[in-house]
Amino acid sequence: MPLKFPRRAIALALGLALFAGMSQAQVIPKTIRLVVAYPAGGVSDVVARALADKLAAQLGSTVVVENKAGASGTIGMDAVAKAAPDGATLGFSAISPLVLNPHLGKSPFDPLKDIAPVASVMYSPVLLLATPATGTRDFRSLLDDARARPGAVRWATSGQASLGHVVLEQLRAAAKVDITHIPYKGGGQQLNDALGGQFEILSTNAGPTVAAQIKAGKLRPLAVGAPARLDNLPKVATLAELGYPAANLSSLFGVFAPAGTPSILIEKYNVEINKALASADLRAKLQSTDNVPTGGRAEEFANEIAEEFESNGRIVRAAGIRAE
């Protein structure tokens, strides 16, 4: 004779099972992998490791930093996109692998479907610098020189279709100047050649090495791509102030998770990241290298990414930018 259970008992059992599942989803993993989409030793890596230390202390978990560099951040973000959505994998990257690279045919994942934004961390300004190869003292002189000598002024960036290249193309179009693009594969050799006067103009993200060369007078800041002037360079105008708002671009960095990660975990990580960004020591670390802490809700970060995705699509199509 089959056993019979009261409906209330069955409902209670199902409810307890559901609650157990929900509770399981809320548990922060004891070990968290933070995939950094750039090489060890750079500014983004230094920031990611400082953030990892903060999160480990706040969450009581072990946060292991794993560098997966290459393809302008796409390799690292692809690893995040393909990871299990259980909260054990997070990524630290600029948003360019999500909002720029896909328009260049360089993305093996869907940036708007396979990645979940967790929290904005910082924006890294794009500095426009004069090298020892030129006597240009200010931004207006740069444009005058480019108009007087079409194609003679050489502008180096970290690569074809990089953010610096997009800034150059926007400036070319708006100012109607002929400037020669010199694409590098990354920033190390680019900076060495800048100091050696191998080209006239360098666009690069802010960082301690660049800041030291500016302070030493070896590189002269002409303009900055940023929402506002930098505290360490208060006399250097933004490209928007100089009349070129479309070229006034900066690198926004943040933390991401695989799509499908429980929303309650994303919310927890968002709260803890914002808490870390509010700490005086982490903010000082960022600001000392001209990187500006951001923070905010995950939904706000997702909206920024969606807007940048559409904007960059228009820029790439209008400028005819192609990946290497």
Side-chain angles (χ1 to χ4, degrees), residues 25 34 62 90 106 121-122 129 133 159 183 191 200 202 209 256 268 271 287 298 307 318:
L34 181 62
T62 299
L90 298 173
K106 296 169 64 176
V121 171
M122 69 178 188
L129 306 168
L191 183 57
E200 288 73 25
L202 167 69
T209 303
F256 304 87
K268 175 63 175 175
V271 168
Q287 292 168 339
E307 290 172 5

Side-chain angles (χ1 to χ4, degrees), residues 95-155:
I95 66 172
S96 54
L98 304 182
V99 303
L100 179 58
N101 297 2
H103 296 295
L104 304 165
K106 296 169 64 176
S107 182
F109 57 90
D110 187 322
L112 302 182
K113 292 182 180 179
D114 297 339
I115 296 286
V118 176
S120 168
V121 171
M122 69 178 188
Y123 72 77
S124 183
V126 174
L127 299 174
L128 181 57
L129 306 168
T131 77
T134 178
T136 297
R137 307 302 303 182
D138 56 43
F139 181 77
R140 299 297 177 192
S141 297
L142 163 64
L143 297 185
D144 290 342
D145 189 19
R147 292 187 180 109
R149 302 185 302 136
V153 176
R154 298 163 294 177
W155 175 318

